Amino acid sequence: MTTRVSPPKVGDRTRIRLHELASRPDGEEVIVGRLDTGDFVVLPAVGARAIELLEQDLTAGEARRVLAEETGADLDICDFVSDLAALGFVAEVDGVLLSGPAPPRATFPWLTPRLVAWSLSPIVPIALGAVVAAALIVLAARPRLMPGYHDLLWSPYGSLVLLVVFAVGWPLLFLHETAHLIVARAAGVPARIELGTRLQFLVVQTDMSGIDLAPRRHRLTAYLAGSTVNLTIAATGILVLAATGPHTPAHRALAILVLLALIPLPFEGMIFMRTDVYFVLQDLTGCRDLFGDGRAYMRYLAGRVLSRGKPRVADPSRQLAPAQRHAVRVYSVVLLTGTALALAALATVTVPTDLTMLIHAVRRAGPGHGSGERLDGLAVLLFLGGPQALWVRTKWRQYRARKVAHRLGSSR
């Protein structure tokens, strides 16, 4: 058996072997794809049936005849197989293995679907919801238990404050993303945790692209798993705070834990970026790419304004079903407004604040200061400058990956 890079010519007598594919109905169409790579395509019902016939070891010609008898459609199966090969769905053509990029390495591969199947049990959200409800009841009776921002500023040394934020915040972030990964893995999606960017934000994110092929309940559970973990940790902290004496080290530590568990949640509500809540909204509206369609509609409107009401391209939202079209047009307003506000905050608050802290840290790290102040300044430089350097590196890697993908796509 040989291996080749480009697929051989496909004829009526050709037999193929497909990679393991999953599918689910989506209205009048069917989503078909590979869970191991997260690649999927939306096909009409006749295309999905053609894949079923090819998986039954029929030749291309036989599949075409059976399909015509069943549906009356005369689908060019040879071209269809070539398209499937370009998508990476075909493993073998007439005994010839097709080479291609290996599936991305999954994070924590030892977390098998069987091992984490419990995460999709309906009992889990009920139990976690009970913890959150109990914490809300306690807060209603004792509102002063709710920590404030001053609990984070527990030391006059900025380096110590940042050290605690990093020491507690990063494990919480890890738990948040691991929750996504566990639920995705339970749904049969490999998933992996990686660094990413959203506008000016450096984020740790879980790539679970194949979740689109899972049932809706599993998809929504995977999207909300991270925020649910944060809420549960915060709620548990509130309940323990209620039994802890005030002004004690344990009380202060718990207050910091609660705050750092809650602080990421407003970020998840920024649906003008691809956050957890954004994916929930996209799923509930039935849109396949709410963000992409929203950007395309905004570009169309911008072109219409610049060309004085005579756009050079047609309205892209017209290709969508009425419900999705309305959702995309409303979302485009949220996308524009949210992005503008976020960038304005970056320019007027984040950048000036970070620069002020960095300049102050550089001065403290220089001559004329004690060793404690110098260490404090160096630590602030590390904690503030490190994430910014990671953001630049991650953004550059994303840019290079897009260029490579575009070049490969153009060469096909």
Side-chain angles (χ1 to χ4, degrees):
M1 187 174 292
T2 59
T3 301
R4 58 186 294 170
V5 176
S6 58
K9 290 184 178 180
V10 179
D12 286 343
R13 296 183 179 181
T14 297
R15 296 180 189 274
I16 68 169
R17 180 174 63 84
L18 296 166
H19 289 284
E20 185 176 352
L21 301 178
S23 64
R24 71 170 176 87
D26 186 43
E28 297 180 355
E29 298 173 314
V30 181
I31 299 177
V32 181
R34 292 177 58 180
L35 288 174
D36 59 341
T37 64
D39 295 322
F40 61 91
V41 66
V42 180
L43 297 174
V46 65
R49 177 57 181 156
I51 287 179
E52 292 178 358
L53 294 173
L54 291 169
E55 288 180 324
Q56 295 172 13
D57 200 31
L58 298 182
T59 65
E62 291 169 343
R64 184 172 187 170
R65 286 192 294 272
V66 172
L67 197 64
E69 293 172 0
E70 291 181 351
T71 66
D74 186 19
L75 180 65
D76 190 332
I77 296 292
C78 296
D79 284 347
F80 183 65
V81 169
S82 297
D83 291 339
L84 293 178
L87 289 167
F89 290 179
V90 180
E92 184 179 312
V93 176
D94 286 332
V96 178
L97 295 176
L98 302 187
S99 63
R105 180 178 175 82
T107 304
F108 306 141
W110 50 271
L111 283 175
T112 62
R114 183 176 180 180
L115 190 63
V116 294
W118 56 267
S119 63
L120 289 173
S121 170
I123 298 175
V124 174
I126 294 174
L128 299 182
V131 175
V132 174
L136 290 174
I137 293 172
V138 169
L139 280 178
R142 299 173 59 184
R144 291 187 177 181
L145 280 175
M146 187 65 197
Y149 73 92
H150 56 275
D151 290 293
L152 282 178
L153 306 177
W154 57 277
S155 172
Y157 289 98
S159 59
L160 293 179
V161 172
L162 290 174
L163 177 62
V164 169
V165 168
F166 272 70
V168 178
W170 277 94
L172 288 175
L173 183 59
F174 175 78
L175 289 174
H176 178 108
E177 297 304 327
T178 302
H180 289 305
L181 185 140
I182 285 174
V183 177
R185 192 67 52 79
V189 178
R192 64 187 185 277
I193 299 174
E194 59 189 13
L195 284 176
T197 61
R198 294 176 190 154
L199 287 179
Q200 70 267 34
F201 303 104
L202 175 71
V203 297
V204 179
Q205 58 191 16
T206 303
D207 182 352
M208 47 183 181
S209 305
I211 202 67
D212 295 277
L213 297 164
R216 168 167 280 184
R217 185 177 74 85
H218 295 178
R219 299 196 304 270
L220 295 179
T221 303
Y223 298 147
L224 294 172
S227 297
T228 301
V229 164
N230 281 65
L231 278 173
T232 305
I233 291 172
T236 303
I238 292 292
L239 294 175
V240 179
L241 272 175
T244 306
H247 310 300
T248 62
H251 193 279
R252 286 192 291 269
L254 285 168
I256 292 172
L257 176 66
V258 171
L259 280 174
L260 293 180
L262 292 176
I263 284 174
L265 296 183
F267 176 82
E268 299 296 349
M270 296 181 182
I271 58 173
F272 56 90
M273 298 181 288
R274 290 187 174 98
T275 59
D276 297 348
V277 178
Y278 159 81
F279 284 108
V280 172
L281 179 66
Q282 176 176 261
D283 202 293
L284 294 179
T285 58
C287 297
R288 297 195 182 106
D289 186 8
L290 186 58
F291 185 86
D293 291 337
R295 285 205 307 180
Y297 184 67
M298 288 306 305
R299 284 195 296 267
Y300 159 76
L301 290 181
R304 185 172 179 177
V305 171
L306 294 175
S307 60
R308 299 181 181 180
K310 297 180 180 179
R312 298 178 181 177
V313 296
D315 180 356
S317 68
R318 288 290 180 185
Q319 302 175 4
L320 304 172
Q324 284 76 46
R325 185 187 313 143
H326 178 72
V328 165
R329 291 179 175 180
V330 172
Y331 177 75
S332 66
V333 177
V334 177
L335 178 61
L336 176 63
T337 305
T339 302
L341 290 175
L343 294 177
L346 171 68
T348 60
V349 178
T350 306
V351 170
T353 301
D354 285 353
L355 284 177
T356 301
M357 294 184 68
L358 287 171
I359 292 171
H360 183 65
V362 169
R363 289 173 177 171
R364 289 172 67 90
H369 297 277
S371 58
E373 291 178 320
R374 288 185 180 180
L375 287 174
D376 181 64
L378 290 173
V380 172
L381 287 174
L382 174 64
F383 292 136
L384 283 181
Q388 299 304 321
L390 273 178
W391 184 91
V392 172
R393 179 175 179 271
T394 303
K395 200 71 175 177
W396 174 248
R397 292 181 66 180
Q398 291 175 334
Y399 169 74
R400 291 185 62 184
R402 283 195 298 268
K403 285 191 67 176
V404 170
H406 177 72
R407 186 169 64 251
L408 290 176
S410 300
S411 64
R412 289 192 180 123

